Amino acid sequence: MNTSNKRMARERSTIAAMIRLYCRNQHRPPAHLCPQCEELQAYAFARLDRCPFSERKPTCANCVVHCYQPVMRAQVRQVMRYAGPRMLYHHPVL
């Protein structure tokens, strides 16, 4: 696996872990993810797949190109604001 694939795989696993943590604690779905969080995760993965920077990708907060639509960006920001501090306990490596 080259550097770009490793970087993007890590980005995908990080956003997936954050969305799972947020959904589990906020929406309490009976199974995996609620439909709203599934849609958000699919959207985030699609955006990562189309990232023009790939291996040179900065964190989204430091990126010069904001590729998320305003509504989805607000949702991701809400997820990250909630899950970010809790990631140290649940996924310390990510």
Side-chain angles (χ1 to χ4, degrees):
M1 190 178 270
N2 67 26
T3 307
S4 175
N5 289 342
K6 285 181 184 178
R7 168 74 183 191
M8 294 314 244
R10 188 178 79 219
E11 290 283 336
R12 288 173 72 92
S13 65
T14 300
I15 192 69
M18 289 180 123
I19 292 171
R20 273 194 316 270
L21 180 63
Y22 176 82
C23 189
R24 183 178 65 218
N25 293 336
Q26 297 296 315
H27 302 147
R28 304 195 195 296
H32 302 287
L33 291 176
C34 70
Q36 180 184 359
C37 290
E38 278 184 13
E39 179 183 345
L40 181 63
Q41 181 172 297
Y43 182 80
F45 286 175
R47 293 285 126 192
L48 282 173
D49 290 341
R50 294 187 193 120
C51 181
F53 300 108
S54 62
E55 69 184 44
R56 296 172 289 129
K57 182 188 179 318
T59 59
C60 291
N62 296 324
C63 191
V64 295
V65 177
H66 295 294
C67 56
Y68 282 46
Q69 295 172 351
V71 172
M72 295 303 236
R73 190 171 175 202
Q75 288 179 354
V76 168
R77 186 177 284 145
Q78 182 179 11
V79 166
M80 289 183 172
R81 196 172 288 137
Y82 176 83
R86 291 162 179 84
M87 287 292 285
L88 285 172
Y89 299 110
H90 298 278
H91 301 285
V93 174
L94 293 177

